[in-house]
Amino acid sequence: MGLSRLAALHGVATSYSPSPDVTVSVPDDTVIAVLAALGVDAGTPEDVRRSLVAAESRSRLLPPTVVVWAGEPLPPALTALPPGSTVTVEPEPAGGPPAPATSWKVPEAASSWKLPGVAEAAPDPAEFPPGWTQPPYGVHRVHVRAPDHHEATATLVVAPARVPQPPERTHGFLVQLYSLLSARSWGMGDLGDLADLAAWAGRTLGSGFIQVNPLHAAVPGKPTDPSPYRPSSRRFPDPVHLHVESVPEYGHVHDRATLDDLRQDAAALSEAVLNKGALIDRDAVWELKRQALELIAQVPLTPGRRAAYCDFLAEQGQALEDHALWCALAEMHGPDWHGWPEPLRDPRSPGTARARSELLDRVDLHCRLAWLTATQLADAQRAAEDAGMEVGIVHDLAVGVHPAGADTWAQQDAFAHGMSVGAPPDAFNARGQDWGLPPWRPDALAATGYAAFRGLLRGLLAHAGALRIDHVMGLFRLWWVPEGRPPTDGTYVTYDAEAMLAVLVLEAHRAGSAVVGEDLGTVEPGVREALARRGVLGTSVLWFERDWDGDGRPLAPEKWRQDCLATATTHDLPSTAARLTGDHVTLRHRLGLLTRPLEEELTEDVTGTAEWLALLARLRMLPEGDGNEEAAVRAVHRFLRATPARMTGVWLPDTVGDRRPQNLPGTWDQYPNWRLPIADPEGHPVTLEEIAASPRLHGLMEVLRPAKARTAPPGERPA
């Protein structure tokens, strides 16, 4: 009982329910290991008793972070304060002169008092303390002094009730950017290609958004981990995505011969991918771009460009300096900071400070690369907006970071060392999953007012029309797996979802960006409702939308939820053509991934697909007698458009009939995950220019495009 009580006080589960009628106990060894990662000693019964006494005797007037939602009652953390307590709020700096702190006393009727200006849906400006803006959304400091002289200081997050919403109905493309090569790409898709795709899709097809994979900075290596979901840093983008020729200083490089040689080598990389069956080689692309960018960095910035760069450095502050220093140190000592010389493993040590001075030029280079990448991200969003897109670029936030990367080095106190995020066993994977990503410590986040999360969101949302959050359930709880143990021996650790959501809503509000949560798979009861209340859209994939509480058959379009992004597939699932033809089953069979006989898997797959096709036929979305795969793909998207979903996403490879998944979960070397270009049904790679001219694409998009947009036939200008 003592261990269970101690675990509960720290948000560590001692049991979990993989299904409503099943409860599984978590091994004590797992609970003890997870508590240790949270700084709680539970190794022996005496340790448990001592830690329990310490936890239960720890009393605070306020929790470390307090959330106030505009237009909603104050939280118990404030209404439970002793009457007569003095409450002082120091407003968050708003860029101008510091606003004065404001103090007031908690009245005798403590349960009904109001925080001036934030407890009303439409507050009277006269209620605002001096220096507060209307509405006073932000991250403030609140100090309480009780009549008995006890004191407490906390972070006060004041957030609007909901994130900004996308238009009532809009459609767009989902694409893995690296896979989208144009005639000018350097071996993989880049931000220039993204801007061009957005400009074309918005103007020609009336599309409202382009959703891309995470563009986070990768951990360098030979080979580099190609997965965009296992980055070095989620805070900063990877300069491998830069379109080199679009950098303004490119035209002023003195060594034109070397630059021309690099361009020729890059053209050869693209030629190999597009015409010779080669895989996308991120490392080779980066080697060429790195050399070109180092030449570009030798060109002095103009006064205006220098001023813009200095502003960027000031805005990013310590976070960028740490990231750039990690990049410079990784060039010298390798990409895993755990193996660096001892003094360099601590970002605040005197030895690291000396290295910072010695590597000043390389640190500045990596800072400049981050700036250049940010400017091209802004250019892509601007191109989308100029093309009439209501949303624009939808960026993707991975669920975690690589244990050896820049974020874990710079923010060591924020991560639970010796732990990895994953998923418990379920009906689809009896062994569970270990994703190899260290989790954030919920106690460290709360103690710092969620500073790391705030900075992460602010950076990602700076140039985003919307943000997709991978495994959005992680705002509520995550499955922690102790190092050296199988995923089945993990447990759930709870996060303060109210605070995480408040920070998310606040930063999305500041950026004017919508938020889409990837809520597929096992979802804790109440999570979808909590997300919907705050305006976070869900994700609905056609093949999984069935009447699970009834007969299990495909869900009719009018029964789908409205507040979601509706799609036919994702980057982790088969393409629609592969799903319709059963190719995805035979692929998994060839790779030895099936857990049942092939005939059994095929029968189940054919049956499920047939149920959907029958529904499409009954709804007159699939023309009678037209059973070819291309017509079925159009019918699937016609169905998606018939649902009330606010956003309809089209997997860009589906528009040209690509049958290969970009990622096949459960594989590593057996399948070329994250390295395939978009291809036609025969597997021949196609360029952005060929995609834009594809009759198959235009036939599919006729199903989705708004009436106001006219699709131009290939070779003809749009009206």
Side-chain angles (χ1 to χ4, degrees):
M1 288 297 293
L3 182 61
S4 297
R5 171 65 179 158
L6 184 62
L9 289 173
H10 292 87
V12 179
T14 54
S15 65
Y16 67 97
S17 298
S19 59
D21 56 343
V22 176
T23 299
V24 178
S25 295
V26 175
D28 285 352
D29 287 351
T30 295
V31 176
I32 292 169
V34 170
L35 285 171
L38 292 169
V40 179
D41 191 356
T44 67
E46 181 57 35
D47 293 331
V48 171
R49 285 192 292 272
R50 188 163 44 250
S51 296
L52 196 54
V53 168
E56 292 180 330
S57 63
R58 193 181 303 124
S59 62
R60 290 176 54 97
L61 281 172
L62 291 174
T65 298
V66 178
V67 171
V68 170
W69 297 100
E72 299 182 14
L74 292 180
L78 294 178
T79 58
L81 289 172
S85 297
T86 300
V87 180
T88 302
V89 172
E90 300 174 11
E92 179 182 35
T102 303
S103 298
W104 57 90
K105 287 190 179 294
V106 176
E108 288 298 323
S111 62
S112 63
W113 72 283
K114 298 177 180 179
L115 189 64
V118 302
E120 304 285 345
D124 183 345
E127 292 186 3
F128 286 81
W132 286 59
T133 58
Q134 184 178 356
Y137 303 141
V139 180
H140 316 294
R141 295 297 292 170
V142 59
H143 181 81
V144 173
R145 181 181 175 88
D148 63 2
H149 303 298
H150 280 86
E151 298 185 41
T153 299
T155 299
L156 175 67
V157 181
V158 182
R162 289 166 62 83
V163 301
Q165 296 297 288
E168 284 302 315
R169 297 301 301 277
T170 187
H171 70 81
F173 290 120
L174 320 177
V175 60
Q176 299 285 292
L177 181 57
Y178 60 84
S179 71
L180 180 68
L181 280 75
S182 70
R184 64 180 187 175
S185 301
W186 282 36
M188 62 182 279
D190 58 40
L191 291 171
D193 298 322
L194 176 60
D196 202 45
L197 175 66
W200 166 75
R203 296 179 189 279
T204 305
L205 304 175
S207 299
F209 66 91
I210 304 290
Q211 178 183 299
V212 296
N213 54 285
L215 304 182
H216 309 320
V219 177
K222 293 192 181 298
T224 298
D225 187 339
S227 172
Y229 291 92
R230 203 167 137 83
S232 168
S233 172
R234 296 187 293 174
R235 175 64 183 81
F236 294 100
D238 198 308
V240 75
H241 301 297
L242 281 169
H243 180 241
V244 174
E245 290 97 326
S246 293
V247 177
E249 289 73 36
Y250 175 85
H252 301 280
V253 170
H254 294 299
D255 189 353
R256 304 307 300 182
T258 300
L259 208 52
D260 289 343
D261 288 343
L262 293 172
R263 288 182 60 189
Q264 290 179 12
D265 290 343
L269 278 180
S270 291
E271 170 70 13
V273 171
L274 295 172
N275 297 312
K276 298 180 180 178
L279 299 174
I280 293 170
D281 188 339
R282 180 193 180 104
D283 292 335
V285 171
W286 174 238
E287 179 59 26
L288 296 178
K289 288 191 176 183
R290 180 190 61 77
Q291 295 180 53
L293 290 166
E294 287 179 350
L295 290 174
I296 291 171
Q298 296 173 16
V299 177
L301 297 173
T302 65
R305 294 269 292 165
R306 170 61 61 180
Y309 178 43
C310 290
D311 282 351
F312 179 79
L313 293 176
E315 289 166 3
Q316 304 304 317
Q318 185 71 54
L320 176 58
E321 190 175 333
D322 285 343
H323 175 72
L325 178 57
W326 182 91
C327 292
L329 289 171
E331 290 174 337
M332 290 187 63
H333 302 289
D336 187 349
W337 61 268
H338 298 90
W340 292 355
E342 185 70 34
L344 301 180
R345 298 176 198 172
D346 179 358
R348 305 291 169 249
S349 74
T352 301
R354 286 192 298 273
R356 193 185 307 266
S357 298
E358 295 165 357
L359 298 172
L360 198 58
D361 288 345
R362 297 304 295 180
V363 171
D364 181 67
L365 172 67
H366 290 291
C367 286
R368 188 182 293 201
L369 295 181
W371 171 59
L372 293 175
T373 311
T375 60
Q376 290 196 7
L377 287 169
D379 291 343
Q381 176 63 10
R382 192 176 305 111
E385 293 170 348
D386 290 347
M389 285 191 167
E390 305 99 326
V391 177
I393 309 302
V394 182
H395 287 286
D396 199 350
L397 172 60
V399 71
V401 294
H402 196 288
D407 282 2
T408 58
W409 177 74
Q411 304 170 11
Q412 292 178 39
D413 292 342
F415 287 92
H417 301 285
M419 294 289 141
S420 178
V421 174
D426 57 27
F428 300 100
N429 191 331
R431 293 173 294 183
Q433 299 176 55
D434 183 344
W435 302 331
L437 308 169
W440 267 336
R441 287 180 53 162
D443 57 332
L445 288 175
T448 58
Y450 295 83
F453 189 42
R454 285 187 277 130
L456 169 60
L457 291 173
R458 194 165 299 183
L460 284 170
L461 290 165
H463 310 299
L467 179 67
R468 174 192 181 270
I469 300 180
D470 192 42
H471 194 70
V472 72
M473 298 83 79
L475 298 179
F476 296 77
R477 66 178 185 177
L478 282 172
W479 184 258
W480 287 23
V481 181
E483 185 177 1
R485 296 179 182 273
T488 50
D489 284 356
T491 190
Y492 280 113
V493 175
T494 301
Y495 291 76
D496 185 344
E498 192 82 347
M500 299 283 276
L501 282 173
V503 169
L504 173 63
V505 172
L506 174 62
E507 294 301 337
H509 168 80
R510 285 170 160 169
S513 301
V515 179
V516 178
E518 185 271 294
D519 57 351
L520 304 174
T522 302
V523 183
E524 187 181 11
V527 166
R528 287 196 174 104
E529 292 77 9
L531 293 169
R533 182 183 180 194
R534 298 305 170 197
V536 178
L537 304 186
T539 300
S540 293
V541 177
L542 181 132
W543 311 102
F544 303 152
E545 291 296 309
R546 291 175 173 268
D547 183 10
W548 297 114
D549 295 327
D551 58 14
R553 293 189 176 276
L555 201 63
E558 67 273 10
K559 294 185 178 180
W560 283 42
R561 52 181 170 171
Q562 177 182 8
D563 295 329
C564 75
L565 166 64
T567 72
T569 190
T570 73
H571 60 269
D572 279 336
L573 295 172
S575 69
T576 305
R579 177 81 67 174
L580 290 166
T581 59
D583 284 2
H584 68 110
V585 177
T586 55
L587 172 62
R588 291 169 57 226
H589 172 67
R590 288 200 306 271
L591 297 175
L593 299 177
L594 298 183
T595 58
R596 296 181 296 173
L598 174 61
E599 295 73 17
E600 189 176 332
E601 293 273 1
L602 283 173
T603 299
E604 181 178 293
D605 184 70
V606 168
T607 301
T609 302
E611 289 179 339
W612 276 104
L613 292 176
L615 175 59
L616 295 175
R618 286 198 302 274
L619 295 173
R620 299 182 182 276
M621 294 180 179
L622 184 63
E624 188 174 353
D626 194 351
N628 71 74
E629 167 250 309
E630 185 175 344
V633 171
R634 286 198 299 270
V636 163
H637 288 85
R638 192 174 288 117
F639 179 96
L640 292 176
R641 190 63 173 172
T643 72
R646 297 176 74 97
M647 301 174 71
T648 303
V650 180
W651 179 236
L652 190 59
D654 274 349
T655 66
V656 290
D658 195 346
R659 298 191 177 192
R660 307 170 306 171
Q662 282 291 315
N663 177 51
L664 192 58
T667 63
W668 181 246
D669 291 333
Q670 310 100 301
Y671 187 81
N673 296 318
W674 318 113
R675 289 172 287 173
L676 292 172
I678 296 175
D680 64 16
E682 287 71 43
H684 300 139
V686 291
T687 64
L688 171 57
E689 293 83 1
E690 291 168 332
I691 291 171
S694 166
R696 176 166 177 153
L697 176 143
H698 287 276
L700 173 58
M701 298 311 292
E702 283 292 325
V703 170
L704 295 169
R705 70 184 181 91
K708 66 180 181 180
R710 174 178 179 266
T711 302
E716 191 178 298
R717 289 181 178 273

